[in-house]
């Protein structure tokens, strides 16, 4: 659930976009916590009730922003994914396009990160509310792999790689949020260098001598995705 309503009329879509664009400007200027739905409605020239009709909470506005950003990223990646077969080039291109399409929102992303970093907040990328967008983003990395000439040769690793690559992207985004270098050049340099490292690690994972280590890492990733219903072991006393 995104907390938004699908609108089929052009006017409804325009009003929704107006509220979203207004909120993003206010979040950037005032901060997320300081911006209320009433302030957003007034700035957009709407009643509070009308604003709530389109978005049920501030968090749903941010979720809509993330969804829009993802669509922009997908569109920017299309040419790379249709024309390139080399895995390293595909991965590097997708990560670079992620940063390029996000650049207009650099300062806003830093503002929103303060809230999204809270593990209890629905805007946290690992939250249940973020699952639909997380799965769509992971599917993009599955496409990066499937359309490439890379042959993994390890069924378990092949199944887990889209998730690992999504987490890798999240690390690059976090670095970018804190990157104050001109045009975020340090982020692009980090992507270029770490993509080479990632490709080499995938190649090494094929080696029989490293298969036990690979299984251990994959098991760890599975444990990290699973929230136990009860604490494991005795609590510290």
């Amino acid at each position: 659930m995104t907390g938004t309503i699908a609108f089929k009329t052009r006017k409804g879509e325009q009003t929704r976009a107006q509220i979203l664009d207004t909120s993003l400007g206010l979040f950037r200027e005032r901060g997320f916590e300081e911006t209320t739905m009433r302030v957003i409605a007034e700035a957009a020239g709407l009643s509070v009730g009308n604003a709530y009709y389109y978005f049920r909470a501030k968090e749903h506005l941010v979720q809509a922003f993330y969804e829009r950003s993802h669509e922009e990223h997908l569109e920017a990646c299309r040419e790379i994914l249709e024309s390139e077969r080399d895995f390293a080039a595909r991965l590097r291109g997708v990560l670079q396009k992620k940063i390029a399409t996000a650049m207009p929102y650099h300062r806003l992303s830093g503002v929103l990160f303060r809230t999204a970093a809270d593990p209890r907040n629905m805007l946290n990328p690992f939250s249940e509310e973020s699952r639909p967008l997380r799965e769509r983003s992971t599917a993009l990395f599955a496409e990066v792999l499937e359309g490439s000439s890379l042959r993994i040769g390890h069924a378990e690793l092949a199944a887990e790689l889209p998730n690992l690559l999504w987490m890798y992207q999240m690390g690059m985004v976090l670095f970018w949020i804190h990157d104050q270098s001109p045009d975020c050049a340090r982020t692009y340099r980090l992507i270029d260098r770490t993509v080479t490292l990632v490709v080499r690690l995938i190649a090494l994972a094929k080696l029989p001598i490293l298969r036990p280590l690979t299984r251990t890492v994959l098991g760890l990733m599975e444990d990290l995705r699973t929230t136990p219903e009860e604490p494991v072991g005795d609590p510290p006393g």
Side-chain angles (χ1 to χ4, degrees), residues 89-187:
R90 287 167 71 88
L91 179 59
R92 184 179 294 107
V94 166
L95 293 172
Q96 289 174 342
K97 291 297 183 182
K98 179 64 176 178
I99 301 304
T101 55
M103 280 298 289
Y105 315 111
H106 193 199
R107 184 170 181 274
L108 173 63
S109 296
V111 171
L112 297 178
F113 173 73
R114 300 168 194 167
T115 301
D118 183 349
R120 298 165 296 181
N121 194 287
M122 64 174 285
L123 297 181
N124 187 287
F126 297 95
S127 71
E128 183 62 30
E129 292 84 357
S130 296
R131 179 189 292 273
L133 187 57
R134 184 168 65 247
E135 290 178 346
R136 292 178 63 197
S137 185
T138 302
L140 172 60
F141 287 105
E143 184 178 353
V144 169
L145 287 161
E146 291 165 3
S148 75
S149 57
L150 179 69
R151 295 296 173 261
I152 299 172
H154 190 299
E156 291 176 289
L157 178 60
E160 187 64 33
L161 261 179
N163 295 311
L164 292 171
L165 292 176
W166 173 79
M167 294 183 67
Y168 168 42
Q169 175 181 263
M170 293 304 297
M172 295 301 102
V173 170
L174 179 59
F175 185 89
W176 166 76
I177 286 175
H178 293 87
D179 187 0
Q180 298 301 312
S181 63
D183 299 320
C184 294
R186 293 178 62 212
T187 300

Side-chain angles (χ1 to χ4, degrees), residues 28-92:
R28 183 170 52 246
E29 295 169 7
R30 301 187 177 199
F32 180 77
E33 295 298 335
E34 293 75 13
T35 304
T36 65
M37 286 294 287
R38 179 175 296 279
V39 169
I40 294 170
E42 291 175 353
L46 301 168
S47 68
V48 178
N50 202 7
Y52 274 115
Y53 176 73
Y54 287 87
F55 295 95
R56 296 169 188 162
K58 290 190 302 181
E59 287 78 7
H60 297 140
L61 281 158
V62 179
Q63 290 281 15
F65 163 62
Y66 289 158
E67 290 168 6
R68 176 197 284 180
S69 299
H70 180 68
E71 291 299 329
E72 292 173 350
H73 184 211
L74 286 180
E75 182 62 27
C77 291
R78 195 50 47 202
E79 182 178 354
I80 297 169
L81 296 179
E82 291 176 355
S83 62
E84 184 60 69
R85 290 271 291 160
D86 179 71
F87 171 66
R90 287 167 71 88
L91 179 59
R92 184 179 294 107

